[in-house]
């Protein structure tokens, strides 16, 4: 189509000069101009079809699976590839109702991955469900985790450290020093050596 367009453009320019000098009829000139217009349309359509042959992802990521072979025709809307975003990654955590009051959007949580021992990662809470899942009675919580080295992969299992209530100025005692007695709990305090 590019060759046809180039030739039609040259012919149109030559016929334009001939028409201005009166050497050709208007109908012959119109035929050449129509051929040029069709060449422009054909070239434009060919370019559109060529652009449809290249698949482009709207997001950055890594191809994890391919559902077609090179040169294969694909219907509109058909799945071609499975794309995985590796930076950042999303960590999904099921949080119990006892712990959900301490998990807020924007807060940071730390976690470990068994496959990567000795490394501590952090992620920011990007979503915490307002209602519990009816199947598990837990609240789905999502963390956004930066993964510049691409160490974290989809499907890895994480152990997340969830914050609990922190009591300021609380007295901490060893469990062995607390004596249960008739429904009460007694602790002896040393005063003046007694």
């Amino acid at each position: 189509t590019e060759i046809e367009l180039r030739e039609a453009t040259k012919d149109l320019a030559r016929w334009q000069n001939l028409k201005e000098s009166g050497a050709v009829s208007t109908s012959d000139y119109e035929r050449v101009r129509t051929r040029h217009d069709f060449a422009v349309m054909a070239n434009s359509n060919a370019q559109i079809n060529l652009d449809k042959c290249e698949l482009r992802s709207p997001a950055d990521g890594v191809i994890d699976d391919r559902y077609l072979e090179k040169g294969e025709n694909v219907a509109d809307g058909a799945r071609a590839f499975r794309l995985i975003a590796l930076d950042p990654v999303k960590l999904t955590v099921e949080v119990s109702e006892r712990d959900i009051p301490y998990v807020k959007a924007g807060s940071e949580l730390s976690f470990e991955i068994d496959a990567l021992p000795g490394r501590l990662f952090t992620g920011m809470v990007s979503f915490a469900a307002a209602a519990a899942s009816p199947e598990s009675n837990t609240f789905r919580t999502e963390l956004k985790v930066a993964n510049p080295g691409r160490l974290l992969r989809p499907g890895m299992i994480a152990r997340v450290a969830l914050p609990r209530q922190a009591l300021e100025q609380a007295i901490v005692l060893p469990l062995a020093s607390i004596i249960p007695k008739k429904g009460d709990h007694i602790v002896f305090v040393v005063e003046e050596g007694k």
Side-chain angles (χ1 to χ4, degrees):
T1 62
E2 288 174 349
I3 292 170
E4 178 63 30
L5 178 59
R6 192 168 47 241
E7 292 300 316
T9 302
K10 278 196 261 180
D11 286 349
L12 182 62
R14 193 175 71 234
W15 280 75
Q16 179 80 31
N17 291 337
L18 292 172
K19 181 182 182 273
E20 288 171 4
S21 67
V24 294
S25 68
T26 304
S27 63
D28 287 341
Y29 171 76
E30 289 299 322
R31 200 169 357 97
V32 171
R33 196 175 82 184
T34 302
R35 177 179 160 237
H36 177 264
D37 292 345
F38 276 117
V40 168
M41 263 190 336
N43 186 263
S44 177
N45 287 339
Q47 188 61 49
I48 289 168
N49 289 333
L50 186 60
D51 289 343
K52 287 182 180 179
C53 292
E54 185 174 313
L55 297 177
R56 293 187 184 131
S57 171
D60 290 336
V62 175
I63 294 174
D64 188 55
D65 202 356
R66 180 175 65 183
Y67 303 109
L68 52 90
E69 295 299 321
K70 187 175 180 177
E72 185 177 345
N73 286 331
V74 181
D76 286 344
R79 221 174 7 169
F81 298 99
R82 179 176 175 215
L83 187 75
I84 296 176
L86 292 176
D87 187 24
V89 293
K90 178 173 69 174
L91 174 63
T92 303
V93 183
E94 297 295 328
V95 179
S96 70
E97 66 181 43
R98 180 180 70 182
D99 295 325
I100 199 66
Y102 308 113
V103 177
K104 306 273 187 246
S107 63
E108 282 195 351
L109 297 178
S110 59
F111 64 94
E112 295 179 49
I113 303 286
D114 288 339
L116 303 168
R119 301 203 58 165
L120 189 65
F121 300 92
T122 59
M124 186 180 73
V125 176
S126 59
F127 172 78
S133 164
E135 294 86 25
S136 63
N137 286 332
T138 57
F139 295 80
R140 186 172 58 86
T141 304
E142 295 175 358
L143 277 68
K144 185 176 181 181
V145 182
N147 189 22
R150 295 185 173 178
L151 292 172
L152 303 173
R153 305 273 179 107
M156 288 181 153
I157 297 173
R159 285 185 285 121
V160 179
L162 293 173
R164 294 258 168 86
Q165 183 178 11
L167 300 173
E168 298 294 326
Q169 301 179 0
I171 299 172
V172 180
L173 302 170
L175 191 58
S177 69
I178 301 172
I179 303 167
K181 187 174 182 180
K182 295 182 184 176
D184 286 333
H185 295 88
I186 299 170
V187 176
F188 289 98
V189 179
V190 176
E191 287 183 357
E192 298 178 9
K194 297 181 184 176

